[in-house]
């Protein structure tokens, strides 16, 4: 059974910064991804702070990361998504975003849902 019918299309995500984040991940566009992040952005994976550049290279760009969003809440700043990459396969994940007043993501946290 597939849950594809329940997926929220990325262009319908409520928060513009989160929408741009998901679009950049799925397009494998490192430049667009960096442009949606605040210069001092931070992140955590499964509750542990990680080096942002190392993490995005390993988990997104060098491993063909892809997000399919199943649910959003908190004005579009909290997601439940099926995330897959060449390293780990597919897993159900949660994503939370802190967006600054300029509309850029200053922090995101992810982990298994």
């Amino acid at each position: 059974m597939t849950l594809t019918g329940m997926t929220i299309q990325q262009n319908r995500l409520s928060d513009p910064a989160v929408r741009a984040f998901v679009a950049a991940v799925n397009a494998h566009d490192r430049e667009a991804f960096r442009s949606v992040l605040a210069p001092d952005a931070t992140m955590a994976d499964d509750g542990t702070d990680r080096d942002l550049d190392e993490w995005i290279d390993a988990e997104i760009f060098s491993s063909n990361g892809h997000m399919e969003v199943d649910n959003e809440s908190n004005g579009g700043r909290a997601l439940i998504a099926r995330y897959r990459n060449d390293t780990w396969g597919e897993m159900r994940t949660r994503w939370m975003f802190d967006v600054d007043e300029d509309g850029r993501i200053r922090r995101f946290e992810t982990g298994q849902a």
Side-chain angles (χ1 to χ4, degrees):
M1 181 173 123
T2 179
L3 299 174
T4 305
M6 298 177 66
T7 300
I8 301 172
Q9 295 175 359
Q10 70 188 29
N11 63 348
R12 294 185 172 262
L13 294 171
S14 300
D15 187 275
V18 173
R19 186 168 54 243
F21 179 100
V22 173
V25 168
N26 290 345
H28 308 286
D29 186 337
R30 189 185 300 260
E31 188 174 318
F33 183 88
R34 291 301 298 185
S35 73
V36 77
L37 298 179
D40 58 347
T42 61
M43 64 85 52
D45 185 357
D46 281 329
T48 302
D49 279 14
R50 307 286 181 164
D51 178 278
L52 180 69
D53 291 321
E54 288 177 13
W55 190 90
I56 64 175
D57 184 60
E59 300 294 335
I60 299 173
F61 295 108
S62 68
S63 62
N64 297 306
H66 187 85
M67 297 175 74
E68 290 187 40
V69 178
D70 292 329
N71 188 338
E72 66 173 9
S73 57
N74 191 29
R77 294 185 179 176
L79 306 177
I80 298 294
R82 283 170 287 133
Y83 187 80
R84 68 178 178 270
N85 67 25
D86 294 343
T87 304
W88 305 107
E90 183 174 301
M91 66 186 75
R92 187 172 163 87
T93 55
R94 61 175 166 67
W95 299 76
M96 295 182 306
F97 299 89
D98 182 14
V99 180
D100 68 17
E101 57 280 347
D102 294 328
R104 295 174 80 185
I105 295 169
R106 80 174 118 228
R107 181 171 176 83
F108 69 92
E109 297 183 16
T110 187
Q112 292 194 47

